[in-house]
Amino acid sequence: MKNLQDDKQRDLLKNKSDGINKFLTTNQGLKINDDNNSLKAGERGPTLLEDFILREKITHFDHERIPERIVHARGSGAHGFFEVTNPIPELTKAGFLQTMGLKTPVFTRFSVVTGSRGSTDLARDVRGFAVKFYTQEGIHDFVGNNMPVFFIQDANKFPDLVHAVKPEPHNEIPQAASAHDTFWDFVSLMPESMHNVLWLMSDRAIPRSYRMMEGFGIHTFRLINEANESVFVKFHWKPKLGTHAVVWDEAQKISGKNSDFHRQDLWDAIEMGNFPEWELGIQIIPAADEHKYEFDLLDPTKLVPEELVPVTIIGRMVLNKNPDNFFAETEQIAFHPGHMVPGIDFSNDPLLQGRLFSYTDTQLSRLGSPNFHEIPINRSIAPVHNNQREGHMRQEINKGRVSYHPNSLGSGCPFQTKISEGGFSSFNERIDAHKIRGRSKSFNDHFGQSKLFFNSQTPAEKSHIVKALRFELGKVETTTIRVRMLGLLSQVDMQLAEQVAKGLGATVPPILEKPINHGVSPENEMGDQESQTVKQLVSSSDALTMIKNPINSSTIATRRVGIICAEGVSETSVLNMKEALIKHDAKGFIIAPHLGNLQTKENGAIAIDFSFLTTSSVLFDAIYIPHTTNVTSLIENEDVQEFLNDAYKHCKVIAADGEAKKVIQAVSLSSKIKEDDKGIIISDNAASSEFIEQFIEAMGKHRFWDREENLYNKK
Ligand code: HDD
């Protein structure tokens, strides 16, 4: 049977302004006349093997999936640019960092580490922060995370770490979660992971948005200038919108209500023209200071406190274009810490050194060929000439008979490039050492910076860490693992350990005289690899908190306000609020018991964005209930009660004006509201400008943590 719809679409396409007639074809370019029916022996007969069109279509479909990434399988990305705001030619010869205002195209992919490709965005997890720079000198990749330290010191332990945190192998449970026995078994035996474990238990692991996360290169890298002088650097991405998180109960609910929450947030922000932006900063450590600190610069479980070495901003990154096709771009992009340009180099960090092998290797099974660099999203904009040839899916048609170096038949081409003309060379660091399978003593302090991180947190953040540990260890079934963890926590902070123990109904074991350190081979154990706590030069750092982080501002840009309405709502209230939000680059959404329109008090109509069925309190940053003549319908609505109770529990701003204040007074949370709670804003006058200003100012505080019980200081 002929499909009439197809005729219409074909005519439409023929008239498209781009003038291209997009006929449906096979992959060989054959125009297809019927895409709805397979070739059969008679109308009711069997399908014929001859149907090459059907077979081509099904065969392609059967092979549509590629293996997901071993880690960081779930992610979202976008195109943008990096612009130099503070050139640093005195530190590096890297071309893309030389000139004020120079823009380099980038593609950035954010990810969740543990879950599979289809898992939730809001898992408690480290987030990947990978940026591909398409520079004139070739591809440069920054492959970092949203936390400045890592769980392990040596790449050799990476497969163990990943096996431990991924779903358990016998039943593949749980998905995208560290709250299970194998993860805690492993980390409780690896004290070096303590620092990163605390970051993982903090709110950094449940960001409000990819756009509100810091990014860190973690390892110490080198910069090299024209004179071949080198400094050590740490890379930082600082988000313009500040760093913000959701609360754990909220994260779990978001996972059910919209598991694409972060993906959608990034996509929508870019579609709406609210381009996410980060500043790129570096901490510069002169070569002479390599051994100055109480920690080793090569140890990836340590950070350099910003109080010791401040961050110098050198550029900014703006993401301004969503991908055209998720698979072709976000899925097929291949990052590698070893994609480097002249002027930047590695340090001897043993984790980084191991990574340099892993990333190309993994692309061979994920993308299936050593030619993955020819996939459009991975292509260098700098010309590529070499003698590598052939292999699966080769795109380049190399001409001529010469594919070796040196040659005379090809006039010597392609030539090697002198260092002075942009040829890459490694920093000629002097190495004079014995071959050894072991670690430097300078890597042995596992608790000093764990304490620094914990001590730096605000009371609310400490309380969240206690709750997170109670949750995670509470899911651990093996009691000895819980107790072992309490022992490690007590070496960070006794009160922290005691509060966690209380939640678990356990007691903190006595501190071992010699802290356990299973991160070393048996011969070295308790020998010169012994774990020890070293006195820290800095005891607290605001840059390590989210709440007191100096980069935070009171902007409410891109925040979402749920406006709860019923028939008889005041149009003036709604419009005034929406207008004020737009002025601050935020957005209000009308939520009502049904979709369609609402009749307003003024006899107009307001279009509804969501019904209570299609959205949820956890998908908004703040709630506003505008004055309405029909307040009883809201008071009696259980969905409204759930909306408000959740918003209150998650410490969000809740506002109501005119008659709508009765809604807040009626719901169960009202008995909990303290008089001095500045996050509850009630006004008798509908939509006064003072009320709206107060609401926006309160939203700028993000959350009102005072509502929560402070678990840390509680006896
Ligand atoms: Fe890794 C992916 C970040 C240690 C092996 N890693 C991957 C991605 C990020 C990181 C952001 C996703 C990139 C993307 O979006 O495609 N990895 C890190 C950081 C580390 C780290 C910040 C420590 C500081 N990784 C690490 C080690 C190894 C790997 C020690 C192996 C020895 N990582 C991989 C991998 C992945 C990967 C298996 C999976 C997919 C891919 O590489 O392309 O090779």
Side-chain angles (χ1 to χ4, degrees), residues 78-82 104-108 134 317-321:
H79 295 271
F81 64 84
F82 170 76
T104 300
V106 298
F107 188 94
T108 298
Y134 301 87
M317 172 173 75
V318 178
L319 299 181
N320 58 8
K321 184 183 173 299

Side-chain angles (χ1 to χ4, degrees), residues 68-72 109-111 127-130 142-145 147 149-150 152 154-156 158-159 216-219 300 330 333-337 349 351-352 354-356 358-360 362-363 366:
E68 64 176 34
R69 289 166 173 84
I70 306 283
V71 281
H72 298 266
R109 181 173 181 271
F110 306 104
S111 48
R127 298 297 185 287
F129 194 126
F142 279 160
V143 198
N145 282 342
M147 300 179 189
V149 290
F150 204 64
I152 48 170
D154 190 309
N156 191 33
F158 191 68
F216 302 91
I218 301 182
H219 312 285
T330 313
I333 195 160
F335 292 96
H336 179 17
D349 173 342
L351 192 73
L352 174 59
R355 292 179 75 191
L356 296 178
S358 187
Y359 287 71
T360 307
T362 202
Q363 309 311 343
R366 194 170 76 81

Side-chain angles (χ1 to χ4, degrees), residues 93-97 134-139 340-342 380-382 422:
K93 57 186 175 186
F96 77 108
L97 299 175
Y134 301 87
T135 87
Q136 297 297 334
E137 294 172 298
I139 297 282
M340 278 277 168
V341 291
S380 157
I381 57 167

Side-chain angles (χ1 to χ4, degrees), residues 96 101 304 333 343 388 400 457 480-481 563 577 617 660 685 707:
F96 77 108
V304 179
I333 195 160
Q388 295 172 31
Q457 306 305 305
T480 47
I481 298 175
I563 306 179
M577 178 60 85
S617 176
N685 302 328
R707 284 181 208 160

